């Protein structure tokens, strides 16, 4: 794996953890819940519904997050930022799908992920 791959993996783990924390039911359904990057120019409602055709997932939440690349050594050093814009907001820029591999190593690569669940 490259350093970029490891950085993307860290961002993905953050997205999964953020989804787990924002979903009121803590996730449910008969299949695993997923975090997927929002489609450019789309909403998470739409992204969840089409990412795994013909299985129609539903959006439980949408998280936009970024973490600091450096080790926090005191309480004044912020570890990261997050937003929950909801499932119906259209996203045009904060998505992994229009980024390069090296963007995972930049200090402020805000990314939006859709927290999708297969309905019971």
């Amino acid at each position: 794996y490259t350093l970029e791959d490891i950085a993307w993996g860290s961002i993905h783990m953050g997205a999964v953890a953020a989804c787990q924390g924002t979903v009121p039911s803590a996730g449910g359904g008969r299949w695993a819940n997923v975090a997927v990057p929002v489609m450019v120019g789309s909403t998470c409602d739409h992204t969840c519904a089409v990412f795994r055709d013909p299985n129609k997932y539903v959006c439980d939440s949408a998280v936009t997050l970024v973490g600091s690349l450096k080790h926090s050594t005191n309480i004044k050093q912020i570890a990261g930022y997050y937003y929950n814009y909801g499932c119906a907001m259209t996203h045009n820029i904060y998505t992994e799908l229009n980024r390069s591999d090296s963007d995972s190593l930049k200090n402020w690569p805000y990314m939006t992920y859709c927290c999708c669940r297969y309905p019971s």
Side-chain angles (χ1 to χ4, degrees), residues 76-98:
K76 294 183 180 186
Q77 293 175 305
I78 296 170
Y81 299 89
Y82 66 93
Y83 302 91
N84 182 350
Y85 291 116
C87 295
M89 182 176 178
T90 300
H91 296 273
N92 290 309
I93 55 174
Y94 296 134
T95 177
E96 177 178 335
L97 300 179
N98 62 1

Side-chain angles (χ1 to χ4, degrees), residues 37-68:
V38 65
M39 293 167 40
V40 177
S42 188
T43 66
C44 281
D45 278 331
H46 179 71
T47 299
C48 288
V50 302
F51 89 95
R52 180 82 37 101
D53 264 346
N55 302 317
K56 302 292 185 198
Y57 281 71
V58 295
C59 179
D60 278 334
S61 182
V63 295
T64 299
L65 55 106
V66 63
S68 174

Side-chain angles (χ1 to χ4, degrees), residues 18-39:
C19 283
Q20 177 68 28
T22 61
V23 175
S25 67
R30 59 183 178 176
W31 293 355
N33 301 296
V34 297
V36 297
V38 65
M39 293 167 40

